[in-house]
Amino acid sequence: MTTVDDVPATEPSTGNEQQSKTVLLVGNPNVGKTSLFNALAGLRAKTANYPGVTVDLRVAAIQVRSVDSDPHCQASADLDLVDLPGLYSMQPASPEEEVAAKCLRGEFQGRMDHSPDAVVVVVDATNLSRTLVVASEILELNLPTIVAVNLIDAAQAAGTEINIQELSNQLGCPVVPVSARKGNGLDTLRETIYDTVKPDEVALPIARASCVAGCTGCPFAARFDWADQVAGCSTESRKTVSRDLTWIDKTLTSPLLGLAALLTVMLSVFFMIFWVANYPMQWIEMAFGYISETVAALIPSGPVALWLWFPLATLLSLAVFAGAYRLNEMKWTRWSTGTAVAVSLLIGMLPQADFHSLAVDGVIAGIAGVVVFLPQICILFFFITLLEDSGYMARGAFVMERLMRRVGLPGKAFVPMLSAHACAIPGIMSTRTIESWRDRLVTILVLPLLTCSARLPVYVMVAALLFGDSPGKAAIMFAGAYLLGLIAAFGTAFLLKKTVVPGEAAPLVMELPSYRLPSLRNALLTMLDRGTIFLRQAGTTILLISVVLWALATYPKIPEAQLPVDERQQAQAALEYSAVGRIGQTIEPVFEPLGFDWKIDIGIMTSFAAREVLVSSLSIVYGLGEDAAEDTDLLVETLARQTKPDGSPVFTTATGLSLLVFFVLAMQCLPTQAVTKRETGSLKWAIVQFCYMTGLAYVAALMTYQTLAALGFA
Amino acid sequence: MTSFRPGTMQCLELHAEGLDAVRLKRLGICQGRLLELIGPGDPMILRIGTSQIGLSRRLASLVLVQPVEPNRQDAASQD
Ligand SMILES: Nc1nc2c(ncn2[C@@H]2O[C@H](COP(=O)(O)OP(=O)(O)OP(=O)(O)O)[C@@H](O)[C@H]2O)c(=O)[nH]1
Ligand SMILES: [Mg+2]
């Protein structure tokens, strides 16, 4: 066996004089740098039609070669291609612009502490003059520079011809027209990069004239004038009958209609989620029903010799461990191997009936409970990506700024708030685009209140329980839950402004990108990525929690003598006797005013680290409390059947909505708290966040339940 | 420039300082540049060259502008 130990891997390039060269992709925000980076490196970093999406350096190793030489002895060069955050000017106005500017100057500590070997300035063919401004500044750095004119497809469609030769003469550097989306011009770009960084060529210092040399006025204005002039010389606009989109824009950015449009868009996305996802969800449910039956049938019910059973069960369990480790990309260290072997041996020693229950009620029920929601999560990401790509989101930010400023949030907080609707973690990361620390802190603190995709399984479960037969009502409930999250976030921001973090948000000045036809491919790929992440979570964390919960809900076993005579009550009594039953009943009084029974409390406790666990926990806890004959039932049906000791149903409208409100507002996500701590630099803010959210969730759920109960919905 | 109606204008002076000034200038709102107000309100929409900029009224009030009438329409109404 090769050594697997804790010695950090040495950098492969250390001590090697043939260090690979660095090529930077720079340019204005939203000109398609990341798209070009993805196209060149075959990667899938996040892109969107919104300025400032990339907030981090991203490096990929690529190989470039000359095209014309003999393919067998083709010279090639290995490069580190770096995707930088967008920047409007070398005079940075935000931390990530500063990162980009420092990289260009070779002053960035760590990876980029040397001057780049080449710079690819990406400009937007549909907006040449504005995007050339920063090119003039970069050209003055006298680095080996290539200008890539991206979105050439969009420019052609709009009837703009760009004279590449003329542009190249004006700029004094190679100019390559490309389309990152269509893939045009990529080979030429690779070749040009190769020519620029050719290993055997000594780079001569380049002396380019500055367009602002000897200029006394505002240097920005001079650059803009220069860019106007260059763009004017090299573009020719055929008058085409282009579709006039201004009236749409007028509507989408007007104070009232714009807000209404935002709501309509959100509502229709949620309706789609609920309606379209129905079919694949049924298929998944059927598939799991089948798997569950097959597994149950495969486990022999009659006695099997121990020498045969023990190794079989142990091996099976080891195989599941191996699969989970692989999914999680975990190494087989001494610890992880030990755990896997020990647990597998334990499982091998289980009585056959318990093994059956573990497989069916624990593993399969737990995973099925969560995987069913895969279609919904895929659809959500698909539509959000389409919207992001269309350019609508900037209008959303524009419309929302009026409201946001009032509660002390900057207009720029919309970007993080948007990503937080998929997952709070990238949301918190993208608060790095907010310049002022005060604005950034407020945004981070309120972000986890927005509805992330991990809440979807909970919402869907409640919707199916309460409004299973009417997609319209379910959509309204969904929109309500999203709205509640938004309102809570705004309300909290306002309170924070009045108390802990006083001050005003920085006023908005932001580019509104032009509308573009969204890329279906991008949306599909994003959907695939997010679906994979979700499944990985189901195969690892949720599997683990499911097994542990199953064990706690099965042991200790109720003594035969205490089993009730009525067969229908036996399973229930056994569950109440188990560790889970005891814990749940102890904390029941805490959540009782919210309308939750102790099984729901168990769900809340186990979903402390990841909220979607609630669904799998409820599947396990309620499933175990039932007779074996009902094993293969769907979660929602099982839940709808549950009754309190007095015979009334557990999941009334009041309890369902109270549970919903609790999950809209509660923190219930450990990874988010870790990110909050890192980005704010102190544990204090993570604790503040956790406490205020949990408190808010409790009080709001209490109010919901008590009000509805008083109105007779309990 | 908060008191103007839609139309083209020239930027005369910026009264912004520090970060605000940089944020305005790098998007093309600086001395001598032509701006076109296409969506008045708060925030308002400007067209600068081929790009559109959303601008909050609070920042707009720091920008001193002079109307430019390409067609000599409603000449004196905006002073
Ligand atoms: N039609 C067309 N659209 C493109 C092309 N390249 C990029 N886009 C779109 O332009 C938008 C912006 O692309 P990004 O790659 O995120 O831009 P970026 O420069 O990395 O932006 P920041 O990270 O925000 O600075 C996305 O919606 C892309 O789909 C292209 O060649 N043609
Ligand atoms: Mg990017």
Side-chain angles (χ1 to χ4, degrees):
Chain A
M1 202 178 137
T2 48
T3 47
V4 183
D5 47 26
D6 298 332
V7 179
T10 44
E11 275 284 313
S13 55
T14 321
N16 188 347
E17 54 272 45
Q18 259 268 303
Q19 215 178 15
S20 57
K21 309 213 167 187
T22 313
V23 177
L24 302 182
L25 279 173
V26 292
N28 274 183
N30 207 35
V31 293
K33 296 176 298 299
T34 305
S35 305
L36 196 57
F37 174 80
N38 289 346
L40 286 172
L43 290 177
R44 277 192 232 153
K46 173 162 176 71
T47 66
N49 190 5
Y50 193 98
V53 173
T54 306
V55 290
D56 251 333
L57 294 192
R58 192 182 288 265
V59 187
I62 64 163
Q63 210 179 40
V64 289
R65 58 186 72 211
S66 55
V67 179
D68 43 35
S69 55
D70 179 359
H72 294 294
C73 57
Q74 224 173 33
S76 68
D78 289 313
L79 301 175
D80 277 340
L81 188 67
V82 185
D83 181 27
L84 293 181
L87 85 169
Y88 283 111
S89 123
M90 288 293 282
Q91 200 170 332
S94 66
E96 56 315 340
E97 282 199 342
E98 194 165 336
V99 167
K102 274 190 174 163
C103 284
L104 276 166
R105 297 200 195 93
E107 291 166 359
F108 190 65
Q109 296 299 308
R111 268 212 100 113
M112 283 303 307
D113 52 3
H114 52 92
S115 278
D117 297 287
V119 177
V120 177
V121 182
V122 186
V123 297
D124 175 353
T126 61
N127 196 355
L128 200 55
S129 59
R130 225 282 319 290
T131 50
L132 271 175
V133 173
V134 78
S136 82
E137 287 186 83
I138 294 167
L139 285 167
E140 280 164 27
L141 297 174
N142 291 334
L143 296 163
T145 307
I146 301 164
V147 170
V149 184
N150 192 25
L151 287 119
I152 203 81
D153 57 320
Q156 273 160 3
T160 311
E161 276 317 323
I162 294 181
N163 185 339
I164 299 296
Q165 193 51 50
E166 176 64 24
L167 194 57
S168 178
N169 292 345
Q170 293 266 347
L171 299 176
C173 73
V175 175
V176 185
V178 292
S179 164
R181 183 177 293 178
K182 298 261 157 70
N184 306 341
L186 293 182
D187 282 334
T188 323
L189 181 59
R190 282 200 192 92
E191 193 185 0
T192 316
I193 296 176
Y194 175 78
D195 286 339
T196 314
V197 299
K198 222 181 280 182
D200 46 313
E201 217 141 282
V202 184
L204 291 170
I206 307 156
R208 292 196 188 89
S210 161
C211 71
V212 291
C215 145
T216 49
C218 163
F220 280 96
R223 286 192 199 286
F224 273 97
D225 290 342
W226 171 85
D228 274 351
Q229 177 253 321
V230 172
C233 291
S234 51
T235 51
E236 197 177 307
S237 196
R238 268 182 289 114
K239 276 272 171 282
T240 50
V241 249
S242 67
R243 284 156 301 156
D244 193 10
L245 293 178
T246 20
W247 67 272
I248 301 186
D249 212 30
K250 275 241 163 65
T251 322
L252 292 183
T253 52
S254 80
L256 282 179
L257 283 179
L259 216 54
L262 194 71
L263 277 181
T264 317
V265 168
M266 272 172 68
L267 198 67
S268 35
V269 168
F270 303 134
F271 184 77
M272 286 299 268
I273 289 177
F274 209 72
W275 182 64
V276 180
N278 237 334
Y279 300 96
M281 282 178 82
Q282 281 170 7
W283 301 331
I284 294 179
E285 276 169 353
M286 267 157 53
F288 269 104
Y290 176 78
I291 294 175
S292 175
E293 272 169 28
T294 320
V295 170
L298 275 180
I299 298 173
S301 45
V304 177
L306 191 66
W307 61 265
L308 190 66
W309 174 254
F310 176 73
L312 263 179
T314 311
L315 275 181
L316 202 68
S317 151
L318 267 177
V320 172
F321 262 103
Y325 281 10
R326 206 198 163 95
L327 264 181
N328 222 8
E329 284 160 11
M330 254 168 74
K331 295 232 173 64
W332 288 91
T333 59
R334 215 168 299 148
W335 257 104
S336 61
T337 314
T339 318
V341 170
V343 173
S344 298
L345 284 177
L346 250 168
I347 288 176
M349 284 187 280
L350 284 182
Q352 251 166 271
D354 286 9
F355 183 86
H356 176 270
S357 167
L358 169 65
V360 175
D361 300 321
V363 176
I364 296 180
I367 293 184
V370 171
V371 169
V372 169
F373 299 102
L374 181 67
Q376 252 128 0
I377 283 165
C378 287
I379 293 175
L380 173 74
F381 276 101
F382 181 75
F383 283 110
I384 283 195
T385 314
L386 281 187
L387 275 180
E388 282 182 348
D389 238 6
S390 70
Y392 172 70
M393 287 308 183
R395 274 74 185 179
F398 181 86
V399 171
M400 292 302 279
E401 125 110 341
R402 266 176 282 247
L403 285 175
M404 308 233 281
R405 210 179 31 202
R406 253 174 237 160
V407 298
L409 284 168
K412 267 197 163 186
F414 187 83
V415 193
M417 291 178 89
L418 165 74
S419 351
H421 277 94
C423 174
I425 292 169
I428 292 178
M429 302 281 291
S430 62
T431 55
R432 292 191 190 170
T433 54
I434 298 171
E435 294 100 346
S436 111
W437 160 247
R438 183 216 159 264
D439 295 357
R440 194 183 292 192
L441 180 63
V442 177
T443 313
I444 291 178
L445 285 179
V446 305
L447 271 186
L449 283 169
L450 300 171
T451 299
C452 65
S453 59
R455 283 180 174 93
L456 276 188
V458 181
Y459 292 7
V460 174
M461 183 188 79
V462 176
L465 261 174
L466 301 183
F467 313 109
D469 43 1
S470 97
K473 278 189 193 160
I476 293 174
M477 187 212 88
F478 257 64
Y482 274 78
L483 215 59
L484 177 62
L486 270 173
I487 292 171
F490 287 149
T492 310
F494 185 73
L495 284 181
L496 288 173
K497 170 179 150 175
K498 294 284 174 211
T499 54
V500 196
V501 262
E504 290 291 330
L508 170 111
V509 49
M510 180 179 81
E511 190 181 356
L512 303 177
S514 47
Y515 292 104
R516 282 173 202 155
L517 204 61
S519 145
L520 216 56
R521 182 169 175 271
N522 185 23
L524 286 173
L525 289 179
T526 308
M527 187 179 101
L528 207 72
D529 281 348
R530 301 308 305 206
T532 317
I533 292 175
F534 180 76
L535 281 186
R536 182 172 298 164
Q537 172 92 347
T540 53
T541 317
I542 292 171
L543 178 68
L544 181 74
I545 295 180
S546 295
V547 171
V548 170
L549 185 64
W550 172 85
L552 288 178
T554 307
Y555 303 102
K557 288 214 154 173
I558 190 166
E560 289 283 340
Q562 287 182 34
L563 265 183
V565 204
D566 186 350
E567 276 205 8
R568 275 172 302 169
Q569 287 171 11
Q570 284 182 356
Q572 189 64 31
L575 182 61
E576 277 168 22
Y577 191 87
S578 71
V580 154
R582 292 172 206 199
I583 300 169
Q585 279 160 325
T586 316
I587 56 165
E588 189 164 28
V590 179
F591 289 104
E592 196 155 24
L594 276 55
F596 302 163
D597 72 353
W598 65 264
K599 293 176 193 162
I600 302 180
D601 300 348
I602 293 293
I604 289 177
M605 309 237 311
T606 48
S607 63
F608 165 76
R611 29 177 92 80
E612 65 269 38
V613 171
L614 174 79
V615 178
S616 55
S617 294
L618 291 187
S619 316
I620 293 170
V621 176
Y622 281 114
L624 278 174
E626 294 213 322
D627 293 328
E630 286 157 331
D631 270 351
T632 53
D633 263 351
L634 310 179
L635 170 64
V636 170
E637 286 171 15
T638 313
L639 293 187
R641 215 171 31 227
Q642 298 302 318
T643 51
K644 292 183 193 150
D646 63 8
S648 59
V650 171
F651 284 93
T652 58
T653 310
T655 300
L657 290 182
S658 160
L659 186 64
L660 181 78
V661 167
F662 187 87
F663 271 86
V664 169
L665 302 173
M667 181 75 225
Q668 304 289 93
C669 181
L670 208 54
T672 300
Q673 291 189 267
V675 176
T676 298
K677 174 177 174 285
R678 197 185 67 208
E679 295 291 307
T680 57
S682 84
L683 190 61
K684 177 180 142 202
W685 293 115
I687 294 174
V688 166
Q689 196 175 39
F690 175 78
C691 293
Y692 97 76
M693 284 181 71
T694 310
L696 188 65
Y698 189 89
V699 172
L702 180 71
M703 275 163 37
T704 311
Y705 181 75
Q706 295 300 341
T707 313
L708 287 174
L711 293 175
F713 288 103
Chain B
M1 71 186 281
T2 50
S3 57
F4 285 102
R5 285 200 259 132
T8 312
M9 49 194 92
Q10 185 171 32
C11 177
L12 292 180
E13 223 175 309
L14 269 189
H15 293 300
E17 273 165 23
L19 198 60
D20 281 347
V22 179
R23 289 172 69 209
L24 287 170
K25 284 180 180 174
R26 66 201 187 126
L27 282 170
I29 304 174
C30 56
Q31 246 174 57
R33 301 282 302 163
L34 288 183
L35 322 169
E36 188 187 348
L37 181 60
I38 54 175
D42 182 22
M44 59 190 68
I45 304 180
L46 301 178
R47 180 153 42 219
I48 303 176
T50 40
S51 49
Q52 286 189 19
I53 310 283
L55 179 69
S56 137
R57 183 179 276 264
R58 200 135 61 83
L59 281 179
S61 64
L62 306 175
V63 185
L64 191 68
V65 291
Q66 175 189 46
V68 178
E69 278 93 23
N71 304 328
R72 296 173 167 268
Q73 296 161 348
D74 55 280
S77 65
Q78 292 173 341
D79 280 14

